[in-house]
Short mmCIF file of all heavy atoms in Angstrom, two decimals:
data_model
loop_
_atom_site.label_atom_id
_atom_site.label_comp_id
_atom_site.label_asym_id
_atom_site.label_seq_id
_atom_site.Cartn_x
_atom_site.Cartn_y
_atom_site.Cartn_z
N LYS S 32 8.92 34.66 -29.12
CA LYS S 32 9.46 34.54 -30.55
C LYS S 32 8.51 35.19 -31.55
O LYS S 32 8.94 35.89 -32.44
CB LYS S 32 9.76 33.14 -30.89
CG LYS S 32 11.06 32.59 -30.27
CD LYS S 32 12.17 33.39 -30.70
CE LYS S 32 13.49 32.86 -30.11
NZ LYS S 32 14.57 33.77 -30.41
N ARG S 33 7.25 34.94 -31.42
CA ARG S 33 6.22 35.55 -32.36
C ARG S 33 6.20 37.04 -32.17
O ARG S 33 6.22 37.82 -33.22
CB ARG S 33 4.82 34.95 -31.97
CG ARG S 33 3.82 35.30 -33.00
CD ARG S 33 2.45 34.66 -32.74
NE ARG S 33 1.92 35.09 -31.43
CZ ARG S 33 1.46 34.23 -30.53
NH1 ARG S 33 1.57 32.88 -30.76
NH2 ARG S 33 1.03 34.67 -29.37
N THR S 34 6.31 37.56 -31.01
CA THR S 34 6.36 38.98 -30.75
C THR S 34 7.59 39.60 -31.32
O THR S 34 7.58 40.67 -31.96
CB THR S 34 6.20 39.31 -29.21
OG1 THR S 34 4.99 38.82 -28.77
CG2 THR S 34 6.32 40.79 -28.95
N GLU S 35 8.69 38.91 -31.10
CA GLU S 35 10.01 39.43 -31.65
C GLU S 35 9.97 39.47 -33.17
O GLU S 35 10.39 40.46 -33.82
CB GLU S 35 11.13 38.47 -31.16
CG GLU S 35 12.46 38.92 -31.65
CD GLU S 35 13.55 37.91 -31.17
OE1 GLU S 35 13.26 36.79 -30.73
OE2 GLU S 35 14.72 38.29 -31.40
N LYS S 36 9.40 38.47 -33.79
CA LYS S 36 9.27 38.51 -35.29
C LYS S 36 8.42 39.60 -35.76
O LYS S 36 8.72 40.31 -36.72
CB LYS S 36 8.73 37.10 -35.79
CG LYS S 36 8.70 37.09 -37.22
CD LYS S 36 8.15 35.75 -37.74
CE LYS S 36 8.07 35.75 -39.25
NZ LYS S 36 7.23 34.75 -39.78
N ALA S 37 7.31 39.81 -35.06
CA ALA S 37 6.39 40.87 -35.52
C ALA S 37 7.07 42.22 -35.32
O ALA S 37 6.99 43.12 -36.18
CB ALA S 37 5.10 40.80 -34.66
N LEU S 38 7.69 42.44 -34.23
CA LEU S 38 8.39 43.69 -33.95
C LEU S 38 9.53 43.95 -34.96
O LEU S 38 9.73 45.12 -35.42
CB LEU S 38 8.91 43.79 -32.53
CG LEU S 38 7.92 44.05 -31.47
CD1 LEU S 38 8.57 43.86 -30.10
CD2 LEU S 38 7.20 45.42 -31.59
N THR S 39 10.21 42.91 -35.35
CA THR S 39 11.32 43.04 -36.36
C THR S 39 10.73 43.42 -37.65
O THR S 39 11.28 44.33 -38.35
CB THR S 39 12.05 41.65 -36.39
OG1 THR S 39 12.70 41.44 -35.11
CG2 THR S 39 13.18 41.78 -37.44
N THR S 40 9.64 42.78 -38.04
CA THR S 40 9.02 43.16 -39.31
C THR S 40 8.51 44.61 -39.32
O THR S 40 8.75 45.31 -40.31
CB THR S 40 7.80 42.21 -39.61
OG1 THR S 40 8.28 40.81 -39.63
CG2 THR S 40 7.11 42.61 -40.90
N ILE S 41 7.94 44.97 -38.20
CA ILE S 41 7.44 46.41 -38.12
C ILE S 41 8.62 47.35 -38.20
O ILE S 41 8.55 48.35 -38.90
CB ILE S 41 6.57 46.62 -36.86
CG1 ILE S 41 5.25 45.89 -37.06
CG2 ILE S 41 6.35 48.08 -36.61
CD1 ILE S 41 4.41 45.79 -35.75
N SER S 42 9.64 47.11 -37.38
CA SER S 42 10.73 48.08 -37.29
C SER S 42 11.64 48.06 -38.48
O SER S 42 12.11 49.17 -38.86
CB SER S 42 11.53 47.85 -36.00
OG SER S 42 12.16 46.62 -36.08
N SER S 43 11.81 46.98 -39.15
CA SER S 43 12.80 46.91 -40.23
C SER S 43 12.16 47.10 -41.62
O SER S 43 12.83 47.45 -42.60
CB SER S 43 13.53 45.54 -40.22
OG SER S 43 12.68 44.51 -40.56
N ALA S 44 10.79 46.85 -41.73
CA ALA S 44 10.20 46.95 -43.02
C ALA S 44 9.00 47.91 -43.07
O ALA S 44 8.93 48.90 -43.84
CB ALA S 44 9.79 45.55 -43.52
N LEU S 45 8.05 47.68 -42.21
CA LEU S 45 6.72 48.34 -42.32
C LEU S 45 6.86 49.83 -41.91
O LEU S 45 6.33 50.73 -42.54
CB LEU S 45 5.70 47.67 -41.49
CG LEU S 45 5.18 46.32 -42.02
CD1 LEU S 45 4.22 45.65 -41.15
CD2 LEU S 45 4.55 46.51 -43.44
N TRP S 46 7.52 50.05 -40.78
CA TRP S 46 7.66 51.50 -40.31
C TRP S 46 8.49 52.33 -41.33
O TRP S 46 8.00 53.35 -41.78
CB TRP S 46 8.35 51.45 -38.92
CG TRP S 46 8.49 52.85 -38.36
CD1 TRP S 46 9.63 53.58 -38.22
CD2 TRP S 46 7.41 53.68 -37.88
NE1 TRP S 46 9.32 54.85 -37.79
CE2 TRP S 46 7.98 54.99 -37.54
CE3 TRP S 46 6.06 53.55 -37.75
CZ2 TRP S 46 7.22 55.99 -36.98
CZ3 TRP S 46 5.30 54.59 -37.25
CH2 TRP S 46 5.98 55.73 -36.86
N PRO S 47 9.69 51.89 -41.81
CA PRO S 47 10.38 52.68 -42.79
C PRO S 47 9.57 52.78 -44.13
O PRO S 47 9.62 53.88 -44.73
CB PRO S 47 11.66 51.87 -43.05
CG PRO S 47 11.85 50.97 -41.86
CD PRO S 47 10.50 50.74 -41.33
N ALA S 48 8.86 51.73 -44.48
CA ALA S 48 8.07 51.84 -45.71
C ALA S 48 6.92 52.79 -45.54
O ALA S 48 6.66 53.57 -46.47
CB ALA S 48 7.50 50.40 -46.07
N ASP S 49 6.34 52.79 -44.46
CA ASP S 49 5.27 53.80 -44.13
C ASP S 49 5.72 55.16 -44.23
O ASP S 49 5.12 56.07 -44.78
CB ASP S 49 4.55 53.40 -42.79
CG ASP S 49 3.30 54.28 -42.58
OD1 ASP S 49 2.38 54.17 -43.45
OD2 ASP S 49 3.24 55.01 -41.54
N ARG S 50 6.92 55.47 -43.57
CA ARG S 50 7.47 56.81 -43.65
C ARG S 50 7.81 57.23 -45.03
O ARG S 50 7.52 58.31 -45.47
CB ARG S 50 8.70 56.85 -42.78
CG ARG S 50 8.53 56.49 -41.26
CD ARG S 50 7.97 57.62 -40.49
NE ARG S 50 8.76 58.77 -40.65
CZ ARG S 50 9.23 59.60 -39.69
NH1 ARG S 50 9.04 59.26 -38.50
NH2 ARG S 50 9.90 60.66 -40.01
N ALA S 51 8.38 56.33 -45.82
CA ALA S 51 8.72 56.63 -47.23
C ALA S 51 7.50 56.84 -48.03
O ALA S 51 7.46 57.77 -48.89
CB ALA S 51 9.61 55.50 -47.81
N GLN S 52 6.44 56.08 -47.81
CA GLN S 52 5.20 56.27 -48.48
C GLN S 52 4.56 57.61 -48.25
O GLN S 52 4.05 58.36 -49.14
CB GLN S 52 4.23 55.10 -48.20
CG GLN S 52 2.95 55.14 -49.05
CD GLN S 52 1.82 56.08 -48.44
OE1 GLN S 52 1.83 56.30 -47.28
NE2 GLN S 52 1.02 56.50 -49.34
N GLN S 53 4.58 58.03 -47.00
CA GLN S 53 4.05 59.37 -46.62
C GLN S 53 4.84 60.41 -47.23
O GLN S 53 4.22 61.43 -47.67
CB GLN S 53 4.03 59.46 -45.06
CG GLN S 53 3.00 58.63 -44.33
CD GLN S 53 3.12 58.71 -42.88
OE1 GLN S 53 3.88 59.45 -42.33
NE2 GLN S 53 2.37 57.84 -42.19
#
Side-chain angles (χ1 to χ4, degrees):
K32 286 297 182 186
R33 187 175 64 231
T34 299
E35 181 182 11
K36 182 180 179 197
L38 285 173
T39 299
T40 300
I41 289 170
S42 67
S43 67
L45 291 175
W46 181 255
D49 189 56
R50 301 279 308 229
Q52 186 275 335
Q53 289 175 7

